[in-house]
Short mmCIF file of all heavy atoms in Angstrom, two decimals:
data_model
loop_
_atom_site.label_atom_id
_atom_site.label_comp_id
_atom_site.label_asym_id
_atom_site.label_seq_id
_atom_site.Cartn_x
_atom_site.Cartn_y
_atom_site.Cartn_z
N ALA A 48 0.65 7.28 -26.60
CA ALA A 48 1.53 6.82 -25.52
C ALA A 48 1.50 7.77 -24.34
O ALA A 48 1.45 7.36 -23.20
CB ALA A 48 2.95 6.66 -26.05
N SER A 49 1.53 9.09 -24.64
CA SER A 49 1.58 10.05 -23.55
C SER A 49 0.24 10.16 -22.83
O SER A 49 0.18 10.46 -21.66
CB SER A 49 2.00 11.43 -24.08
OG SER A 49 1.02 11.90 -25.00
N THR A 52 -0.61 5.67 -21.61
CA THR A 52 0.33 4.82 -20.86
C THR A 52 0.59 5.47 -19.51
O THR A 52 1.03 6.61 -19.44
CB THR A 52 1.65 4.63 -21.63
OG1 THR A 52 1.38 3.94 -22.84
CG2 THR A 52 2.63 3.81 -20.80
N VAL A 53 0.31 4.74 -18.44
CA VAL A 53 0.45 5.27 -17.09
C VAL A 53 1.48 4.45 -16.32
O VAL A 53 1.34 3.25 -16.14
CB VAL A 53 -0.90 5.24 -16.33
CG1 VAL A 53 -0.74 5.83 -14.93
CG2 VAL A 53 -1.96 6.01 -17.11
N LYS A 54 2.55 5.13 -15.88
CA LYS A 54 3.60 4.47 -15.11
C LYS A 54 3.22 4.51 -13.62
O LYS A 54 3.01 5.60 -13.07
CB LYS A 54 4.94 5.17 -15.32
CG LYS A 54 5.49 5.07 -16.73
CD LYS A 54 6.83 5.80 -16.82
CE LYS A 54 7.39 5.73 -18.23
NZ LYS A 54 8.68 6.45 -18.34
N ILE A 55 3.13 3.34 -13.02
CA ILE A 55 2.75 3.26 -11.60
C ILE A 55 3.87 2.60 -10.81
O ILE A 55 4.27 1.47 -11.12
CB ILE A 55 1.44 2.49 -11.41
CG1 ILE A 55 0.31 3.16 -12.21
CG2 ILE A 55 1.07 2.42 -9.92
CD1 ILE A 55 -1.03 2.46 -12.08
N GLY A 56 4.39 3.29 -9.80
CA GLY A 56 5.48 2.78 -8.99
C GLY A 56 5.00 1.91 -7.83
O GLY A 56 3.98 2.22 -7.20
N ASN A 78 -2.78 1.61 -20.90
CA ASN A 78 -1.67 0.69 -20.66
C ASN A 78 -0.94 1.07 -19.38
O ASN A 78 -0.40 2.16 -19.28
CB ASN A 78 -0.69 0.72 -21.84
CG ASN A 78 -1.32 0.26 -23.13
OD1 ASN A 78 -1.88 -0.82 -23.20
ND2 ASN A 78 -1.26 1.10 -24.15
N LYS A 80 2.13 0.60 -16.95
CA LYS A 80 3.50 0.12 -16.86
C LYS A 80 3.91 0.14 -15.39
O LYS A 80 3.96 1.20 -14.77
CB LYS A 80 4.46 1.00 -17.67
CG LYS A 80 5.91 0.51 -17.62
CD LYS A 80 6.83 1.38 -18.45
CE LYS A 80 8.27 0.87 -18.35
NZ LYS A 80 9.20 1.73 -19.14
N VAL A 82 6.36 0.03 -12.41
CA VAL A 82 7.77 0.36 -12.17
C VAL A 82 8.13 -0.06 -10.75
O VAL A 82 7.52 0.40 -9.78
CB VAL A 82 8.03 1.88 -12.35
CG1 VAL A 82 9.51 2.20 -12.14
CG2 VAL A 82 7.57 2.33 -13.73
N ALA A 93 10.26 9.65 -7.10
CA ALA A 93 10.07 9.50 -8.54
C ALA A 93 8.77 10.17 -8.99
O ALA A 93 8.71 10.79 -10.06
CB ALA A 93 10.05 8.02 -8.91
N LEU A 94 7.73 10.08 -8.16
CA LEU A 94 6.44 10.70 -8.49
C LEU A 94 6.57 12.21 -8.52
O LEU A 94 6.14 12.88 -9.47
CB LEU A 94 5.38 10.27 -7.48
CG LEU A 94 3.96 10.83 -7.68
CD1 LEU A 94 3.41 10.41 -9.04
CD2 LEU A 94 3.04 10.36 -6.56
N GLY A 97 8.25 13.51 -11.53
CA GLY A 97 7.61 13.25 -12.81
C GLY A 97 8.12 12.04 -13.55
O GLY A 97 7.83 11.85 -14.74
N GLU A 98 8.88 11.19 -12.86
CA GLU A 98 9.42 9.98 -13.50
C GLU A 98 8.35 8.89 -13.63
O GLU A 98 8.46 7.99 -14.47
CB GLU A 98 10.61 9.46 -12.69
CG GLU A 98 11.78 10.45 -12.67
CD GLU A 98 12.82 10.07 -11.62
OE1 GLU A 98 12.81 8.92 -11.15
OE2 GLU A 98 13.64 10.94 -11.28
N ILE A 99 7.36 8.93 -12.76
CA ILE A 99 6.20 8.04 -12.83
C ILE A 99 4.95 8.89 -12.69
O ILE A 99 5.03 10.07 -12.31
CB ILE A 99 6.23 6.95 -11.74
CG1 ILE A 99 6.31 7.58 -10.34
CG2 ILE A 99 7.39 5.98 -11.97
CD1 ILE A 99 6.24 6.55 -9.20
N ASP A 100 3.80 8.31 -13.00
CA ASP A 100 2.54 9.07 -12.97
C ASP A 100 1.76 8.87 -11.67
O ASP A 100 1.05 9.78 -11.22
CB ASP A 100 1.67 8.66 -14.15
CG ASP A 100 2.38 8.82 -15.48
OD1 ASP A 100 2.75 9.97 -15.80
OD2 ASP A 100 2.59 7.81 -16.17
N MET A 101 1.84 7.66 -11.11
CA MET A 101 1.14 7.32 -9.87
C MET A 101 2.02 6.36 -9.09
O MET A 101 3.02 5.85 -9.62
CB MET A 101 -0.21 6.64 -10.16
CG MET A 101 -1.18 7.41 -11.02
SD MET A 101 -2.68 6.42 -11.38
CE MET A 101 -3.55 6.50 -9.81
N ASN A 102 1.66 6.12 -7.83
CA ASN A 102 2.31 5.02 -7.12
C ASN A 102 1.29 4.28 -6.25
O ASN A 102 0.21 4.79 -5.96
CB ASN A 102 3.56 5.45 -6.34
CG ASN A 102 3.31 6.47 -5.25
OD1 ASN A 102 2.32 6.41 -4.54
ND2 ASN A 102 4.23 7.43 -5.12
N MET A 124 -5.55 9.19 -4.56
CA MET A 124 -6.49 8.98 -5.66
C MET A 124 -7.56 7.96 -5.29
O MET A 124 -8.68 8.01 -5.78
CB MET A 124 -5.74 8.51 -6.91
CG MET A 124 -4.76 9.54 -7.47
SD MET A 124 -5.56 11.08 -8.00
CE MET A 124 -6.54 10.52 -9.38
N SER A 248 -1.60 6.94 -5.19
CA SER A 248 -1.32 8.37 -5.09
C SER A 248 -0.86 8.96 -6.42
O SER A 248 -0.37 8.25 -7.30
CB SER A 248 -0.23 8.61 -4.04
OG SER A 248 -0.57 8.02 -2.80
N ALA A 249 -1.02 10.30 -6.52
CA ALA A 249 -0.57 11.04 -7.69
C ALA A 249 -0.19 12.45 -7.25
O ALA A 249 -0.45 12.83 -6.10
CB ALA A 249 -1.66 11.08 -8.76
N ASN A 250 0.40 13.21 -8.12
CA ASN A 250 0.68 14.60 -7.81
C ASN A 250 -0.62 15.40 -7.84
O ASN A 250 -1.55 15.06 -8.57
CB ASN A 250 1.67 15.19 -8.83
CG ASN A 250 3.07 14.63 -8.65
OD1 ASN A 250 3.63 14.66 -7.55
ND2 ASN A 250 3.65 14.10 -9.73
N LYS A 252 -1.56 18.05 -9.16
CA LYS A 252 -1.98 18.57 -10.47
C LYS A 252 -2.80 17.55 -11.26
O LYS A 252 -3.53 17.89 -12.19
CB LYS A 252 -0.77 19.02 -11.28
CG LYS A 252 0.18 17.91 -11.68
CD LYS A 252 1.37 18.44 -12.45
CE LYS A 252 2.31 17.32 -12.88
NZ LYS A 252 1.69 16.36 -13.80
N ASP A 253 -2.65 16.27 -10.89
CA ASP A 253 -3.36 15.20 -11.59
C ASP A 253 -4.55 14.66 -10.80
O ASP A 253 -5.10 13.60 -11.11
CB ASP A 253 -2.41 14.04 -11.88
CG ASP A 253 -1.33 14.42 -12.88
OD1 ASP A 253 -1.66 15.08 -13.88
OD2 ASP A 253 -0.16 14.06 -12.66
N ASN A 256 -7.43 13.81 -13.02
CA ASN A 256 -7.08 13.14 -14.28
C ASN A 256 -8.07 12.00 -14.55
O ASN A 256 -8.18 11.06 -13.76
CB ASN A 256 -5.66 12.59 -14.19
CG ASN A 256 -5.18 11.99 -15.48
OD1 ASN A 256 -5.77 11.07 -16.01
ND2 ASN A 256 -4.08 12.52 -15.99
N PHE A 259 -6.58 8.41 -14.64
CA PHE A 259 -6.21 7.92 -13.31
C PHE A 259 -7.45 7.47 -12.53
O PHE A 259 -7.42 6.48 -11.80
CB PHE A 259 -5.47 8.99 -12.52
CG PHE A 259 -4.12 9.38 -13.11
CD1 PHE A 259 -3.66 8.81 -14.28
CD2 PHE A 259 -3.33 10.32 -12.49
CE1 PHE A 259 -2.43 9.16 -14.82
CE2 PHE A 259 -2.10 10.68 -13.01
CZ PHE A 259 -1.65 10.11 -14.19
#
Side-chain angles (χ1 to χ4, degrees):
S49 63
T52 297
V53 181
K54 294 180 180 179
I55 302 180
N78 297 306
K80 181 179 179 181
V82 182
L94 180 60
E98 296 167 17
I99 57 176
D100 304 299
M101 303 175 75
N102 61 40
M124 295 299 293
S248 306
N250 289 307
K252 66 182 181 63
D253 293 317
N256 185 301
F259 295 1

